[in-house]
Amino acid sequence: MSQAVSNSNNTTPARRNASSRYGDDTDSAIDAQAALVMRKGFLDDVIDGIQLGLLVIVGISVVFIGIFANSLPTIFPATKPFYDAIVSIPGFIMNVPEHAALAMLYFPRSVDELFFLASDLRFWLGEQMHTLPYKECVLVFSWATYLWEAKLDIRQRDRLHEVRRPAAIAPFISRQAYLEANAYGLDKSSLGLVKNVFMQIQTTVIIIYDLTPWLWTIVGDAMDEYLGYGPEYEITRSIAYFLAATYVSTFLSLPFDLYSTFVVEKKHGFNKQTFGLYVSDMVKSLALTALLGGPILAAFLWVIDRTGSQFYLYAWGLMAAVQLLAILIYPTFIQPLFNKFDPLPEGELRNAIEALASRLNFPLKKLYVVDGSKRSSHSNAYVFGFFRSKRIVIYDTLINQCTTEEIVAIVGHELGHWKNNHILRMLTAVQLQTFIVFFAFSCFVGERAMYESFGMHTMPTLVGFIFFQFLYQPLDSLLTFAMNVLSRVHEFDADAFSKKLGYGEQLASGLIKLQIENKSVMNPDPLYSAYHFSHPPLVERLNAINDPNVAPKSN
Ligand code: ZN
């Protein structure tokens, strides 16, 4: 009896203590925040309206197609290739036995026959490429990608309106932190939705009204008039075009960028940037685009012009060299233009990191702290450098937010990326991606039908590449998704590495702190995070760290 009383006396304060730590108290400020997160505003009404509208349009279209199916290509010529493809499906299925017999007959039985088949296939593909309705295909691809991503954004937005924490994160994320992260996520989502609509309309206008050839002509005319350079100066004209297009698009997205930095980031306590710093950053990066982008572009165009039909191999090699150079000069020459790198001062943290580095035989050359707090309170740490000369960089914000043990655990995670060759693996994957881009481009660069479809009557390489990029967009989305999957595998791997070093607990608490401090999405939509995130959601990472079967500690 006395035990029961003393128990109940002990649990009450303990529970009260726990509930205030986990934020289950009914604080009025938190309730106000919850009401704000839950509230559906103008944008949500627009989204609901559009979704309802789309549903109606799909319904009407089904009826419309049912009635007018046969005359659809005459009413909307753009639908003809899709109509033809769909109409041919039943015939194809009916003839499967015949096709199978033909396939058996032509099935290559020797290497020679295989080569014949390959050249036939190339010839057939070439024929298709001459007749492809490029502009229509690109418009369909672009809108399909846009609608898919908008659907994901809306699914994610529904998650952000949630005010109840999922059971999996309730024990370590307070209600207040959860609501703050969702409020930040909602503001970013609103800006993103508006920006994406604007960008999609911009792309559509550029494609429909042939604005690429239009700008190309303007640049050419200006060069002719003011410099006396004729159309034979294709590389100079390409650089001028590239700079004009970059500056125009920077200018068009400027309102969104300003709003993001000085309204959204500021409202949620992240922006530390003054307007002066913002302007000087922008001037610096536009100047760098001209100083570095111009010559690099010139080198590519020159190589493509000189190396003929197998230019993709040379362009690929050049790209690898540029990337290698970028990795080499970016931290030493470019980054210091924007940030200050100081050696980490002597002390507990420096000793702990140096001890870890020597325990792992990590060739630590320099250990820096960077003034990330100058722009934003978002925090980070990373490792870079070649061979025997590695550097570790820690954001000053990370030092302010985490304990020494937590920072060491996070550095342990970063060293896991190094030890398990993730950086090299990612670099190889990027090379593969670049090769695919250049090889595919080499198939289209000489395709007059593509240029003419977009309203261009000459065939400059750079303009061809811009058209090709429109065409390549769906494949690019798929490859980006694949890269995200690979990156998430690496993140789990690096977490396991840090855990194996004995930092599992500190890593978990460090990750939770970073998640709260950065107000990262706590409960993302599974489809959204699978498609967009290069890092796994917090809950999945914590589950893996706490799983006794994952990387048990060893010495
Ligand atoms: Zn990582």
Side-chain angles (χ1 to χ4, degrees):
M1 182 68 201
S2 82
Q3 205 179 6
V5 170
S6 94
N7 259 354
S8 79
N9 277 348
N10 278 345
T11 29
T12 319
R15 194 179 290 149
R16 189 179 297 137
N17 205 350
S19 70
S20 70
R21 198 169 108 227
Y22 301 146
D24 278 326
D25 41 2
T26 46
D27 192 54
S28 64
I30 296 179
D31 283 344
Q33 177 83 295
L36 206 68
V37 166
M38 225 175 354
R39 206 189 73 212
K40 304 236 168 163
F42 172 70
L43 209 56
D44 296 281
D45 294 341
V46 172
I47 293 168
D48 288 347
I50 290 174
Q51 282 190 313
L52 197 67
L54 278 178
L55 213 64
V56 173
I57 290 172
V58 168
I60 293 175
S61 308
V62 168
V63 175
F64 185 80
I65 291 169
I67 300 171
F68 297 105
N70 293 330
S71 40
L72 209 57
T74 5
I75 304 171
F76 299 115
T79 60
K80 189 167 179 352
F82 304 98
Y83 176 81
D84 288 348
I86 292 168
V87 168
S88 69
I89 294 174
F92 182 81
I93 294 174
M94 294 294 282
N95 289 330
V96 161
E98 231 170 276
H99 292 311
L102 270 176
M104 284 303 285
L105 194 64
Y106 286 103
F107 190 79
R109 285 170 183 82
S110 67
V111 178
D112 281 352
E113 283 187 19
L114 188 70
F115 273 113
F116 270 125
L117 192 70
S119 77
D120 277 358
L121 192 68
R122 269 178 86 149
F123 181 75
W124 181 81
L125 279 175
E127 288 288 290
Q128 300 302 309
M129 279 163 61
H130 296 324
T131 51
L132 202 65
Y134 287 90
K135 196 187 243 187
E136 287 82 357
C137 285
V138 160
L139 282 172
V140 170
F141 287 164
S142 155
W143 276 90
T145 314
Y146 170 74
L147 289 175
W148 156 248
E149 289 178 359
K151 180 68 197 160
L152 289 183
D153 287 342
I154 293 167
R155 284 174 62 109
Q156 173 72 355
R157 196 176 169 83
D158 288 340
R159 287 284 180 119
L160 292 170
H161 274 304
E162 284 283 329
V163 290
R164 298 180 78 92
R165 287 164 295 163
I169 61 170
F172 42 80
I173 303 280
S174 74
R175 183 158 181 250
Q176 186 180 1
Y178 182 70
L179 291 172
E180 276 176 9
N182 278 6
Y184 176 50
L186 275 172
D187 281 343
K188 282 203 295 186
S189 153
S190 303
L191 177 62
L193 285 168
V194 175
K195 183 181 175 177
N196 291 346
V197 166
F198 178 81
M199 291 295 171
Q200 182 59 21
I201 292 172
Q202 186 184 313
T203 310
T204 308
V205 168
I206 289 174
I207 295 171
I208 289 187
Y209 294 101
D210 297 338
L211 295 190
T212 308
W214 176 75
L215 184 61
W216 180 257
T217 309
I218 289 185
V219 169
D221 289 350
M223 274 177 50
D224 204 9
E225 202 176 318
Y226 299 110
L227 305 170
Y229 282 12
E232 67 275 19
Y233 289 90
E234 191 190 309
I235 292 185
T236 319
R237 189 173 175 180
S238 299
I239 294 172
Y241 173 91
F242 162 73
L243 292 179
T246 307
Y247 292 161
V248 169
S249 84
T250 307
F251 179 74
L252 287 176
S253 61
L254 194 62
F256 299 106
D257 204 40
L258 282 170
Y259 189 84
S260 162
T261 310
F262 293 105
V263 180
V264 177
E265 295 291 308
K266 190 177 178 138
K267 179 176 163 194
H268 294 278
F270 289 117
N271 182 46
K272 299 284 176 268
Q273 210 170 346
T274 59
F275 189 68
L277 183 61
Y278 180 88
V279 172
S280 96
D281 274 4
M282 198 168 70
V283 170
K284 275 186 212 165
S285 41
L286 288 179
L288 277 176
T289 308
L291 278 174
L292 297 177
I296 292 171
L297 178 64
F300 269 101
L301 294 175
W302 189 82
V303 162
I304 292 173
D305 186 47
R306 292 301 155 95
T307 50
S309 65
Q310 289 196 316
F311 77 81
Y312 56 91
L313 286 176
Y314 299 92
W316 183 42
L318 180 61
M319 188 64 166
V322 167
Q323 279 170 350
L324 216 67
L325 202 70
I327 297 172
L328 215 63
I329 69 165
Y330 184 77
T332 12
F333 294 103
I334 313 271
Q335 265 239 290
L337 292 176
F338 296 92
N339 281 98
K340 214 158 91 57
F341 290 80
D342 289 319
L344 183 69
E346 294 293 333
E348 191 193 6
L349 181 61
R350 190 180 182 103
N351 294 341
I353 292 176
E354 280 173 348
L356 176 63
S358 70
R359 174 178 162 198
L360 296 172
N361 287 326
F362 177 78
L364 178 63
K365 189 90 177 228
K366 296 251 168 67
L367 182 49
Y368 291 116
V369 40
V370 62
D371 60 343
S373 61
K374 183 167 141 194
R375 288 188 183 76
S376 153
S377 2
H378 288 299
S379 44
N380 206 347
Y382 58 93
V383 169
F384 72 89
F386 280 109
F387 311 113
R388 311 295 309 161
S389 164
K390 307 272 187 196
R391 294 127 204 256
I392 295 179
V393 177
I394 298 168
Y395 275 55
D396 55 355
T397 39
L398 187 70
I399 297 178
N400 296 334
Q401 291 162 2
C402 292
T403 65
T404 301
E405 288 79 25
E406 287 163 350
I407 297 171
V408 173
I410 290 165
V411 170
H413 166 103
E414 296 303 326
L415 293 182
H417 285 311
W418 159 76
K419 190 82 178 176
N420 294 330
N421 281 325
H422 294 161
I423 299 160
L424 202 66
R425 269 162 46 178
M426 279 313 249
L427 222 58
T428 313
V430 169
Q431 296 316 315
L432 192 68
Q433 204 176 1
T434 328
F435 180 79
I436 294 173
V437 172
F438 281 126
F439 179 74
F441 177 50
S442 77
C443 302
F444 286 95
V445 65
E447 198 51 64
R448 183 167 287 279
M450 177 178 80
Y451 295 82
E452 293 197 329
S453 162
F454 288 105
M456 192 80 191
H457 302 296
T458 51
M459 296 166 60
T461 310
L462 176 68
V463 177
F465 191 69
I466 294 167
F467 295 149
F468 166 74
Q469 272 186 317
F470 289 142
L471 207 61
Y472 174 73
Q473 197 192 12
L475 185 61
D476 186 52
S477 299
L478 276 179
L479 288 179
T480 308
F481 167 67
M483 291 291 271
N484 280 341
V485 172
L486 180 64
S487 163
R488 290 197 297 261
V489 169
H490 287 167
E491 291 308 319
F492 280 125
D493 223 16
D495 282 349
F497 183 82
S498 184
K499 182 183 173 184
K500 215 169 184 162
L501 294 172
Y503 300 130
E505 234 168 80
Q506 293 89 332
L507 181 66
S509 73
L511 288 177
I512 292 167
K513 266 193 196 164
L514 287 187
Q515 183 92 9
I516 294 172
E517 292 285 349
N518 286 317
K519 299 188 182 172
S520 313
V521 186
M522 311 267 179
N523 181 27
D525 173 69
L527 259 184
Y528 182 90
S529 60
Y531 185 75
H532 283 296
F533 285 7
S534 61
H535 286 57
L538 179 68
V539 175
E540 289 179 27
R541 291 180 79 173
L542 294 180
N543 284 344
I545 293 170
N546 293 329
D547 185 343
N549 297 319
V550 173
K553 192 188 163 185
S554 74
N555 291 310

